[in-house]
């Protein structure tokens, strides 16, 4: 359902061109969960932005459900994001002026697939039942992150893209939130592409991929790499 074909991405910086991705191939099946690992600055967030159509590759193709994102205009890509994707980033991006219930429903409403039974279940499972009328600033960091996860899953997206979704939380809270994320992803039948630094977090996922020197490697291939 998500495919990268020979994707290249170079940023223009004052110091000159910075090549971040140099020939990335990736194939993610429906319902599959994949951990994306790699050192800080290796291009993980760049890869997720390309997957979400928030940026375009210089060369190569990114396809969702066999449709090339570069073949669509901005509004076409926004449409794909609404209909197909859930996004969870380190910053929660909750809407401060909307209460918990409205934050949760916003995305699903925009996608035209609001499901009040699923929303209520999400609120319950996220430990936010009874807090529907509270505003984000009245929630703890862990609760805000759970709400951001719930919002991304409220539309039962075909693919959840999560960029270090618990990077801002303490270890215990992070573990609880991640367990919940994986359970809810399984329940909503979504595919998952998640950036994480933690081998423990990555372990239960179907596959672990490592971004290094602009290339994506399967974890098992790591020991066969030449030393560079
Ligand atoms: N918009 C941008 N313009 C220029 N350089 C960028 C931009 N975004 C990211 N970079 C650089 O590209 C590299 C990869 O960044 P990023 O994808 O955020 O890595 P990661 O998420 O793995 O830490 C870093 O060196 C970063 O500084
Ligand atoms: Mg990053």
């Amino acid at each position: 359902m998500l495919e990268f074909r020979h994707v290249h991405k170079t940023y223009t910086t004052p110091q000159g061109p910075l090549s971040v991705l140099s020939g990335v191939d990736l194939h993610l099946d429906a319902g599959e969960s994949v951990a994306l690992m790699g050192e800080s600055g290796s291009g993980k967030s760049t890869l997720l932005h390309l997957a979400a159509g928030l940026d375009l590759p210089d060369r190569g193709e990114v396809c969702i459900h066999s449709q090339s994102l570069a073949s669509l205009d901005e509004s076409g890509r926004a449409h794909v994001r609404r209909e197909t994707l859930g996004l969870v980033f380190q910053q929660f991006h909750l809407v401060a002026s909307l209460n918990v219930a409205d934050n949760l429903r916003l995305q699903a409403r925009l996608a035209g697939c609001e499901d009040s039974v699923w929303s209520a279940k999400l609120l319950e499972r996220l430990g936010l039942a009874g807090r529907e009328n509270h505003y984000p600033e009245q929630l703890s960091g862990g609760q805000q992150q759970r709400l951001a996860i719930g919002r991304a899953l409220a539309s039962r997206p075909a693919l959840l893209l999560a960029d270090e979704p618990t990077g801002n939380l303490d270890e215990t809270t992070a573990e609880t939130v991640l367990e919940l994320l994986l359970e809810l992803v399984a329940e909503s039948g979504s595919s998952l592409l998640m950036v994480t630094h933690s081998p423990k977090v990555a372990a239960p996922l179907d596959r672990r991929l490592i971004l290094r020197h602009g290339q994506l490697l399967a974890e098992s291939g790591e020991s066969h790499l030449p030393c560079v």
Side-chain angles (χ1 to χ4, degrees), residues 44-46 90 163-164 195:
K44 305 179 297 295
S45 295
T46 299
Q90 225 173 320
D163 195 349
E164 302 188 49
V195 173

Side-chain angles (χ1 to χ4, degrees), residues 107 173 199 224:
Q107 202 126 333
T173 311
H224 305 300

Side-chain angles (χ1 to χ4, degrees), residues 157-178:
L159 170 62
L160 183 71
L161 297 171
D163 195 349
E164 302 188 49
T166 56
N168 283 333
L169 305 176
D170 64 77
E171 208 178 319
T172 319
T173 311
E175 237 169 69
T176 321
V177 170
L178 273 165

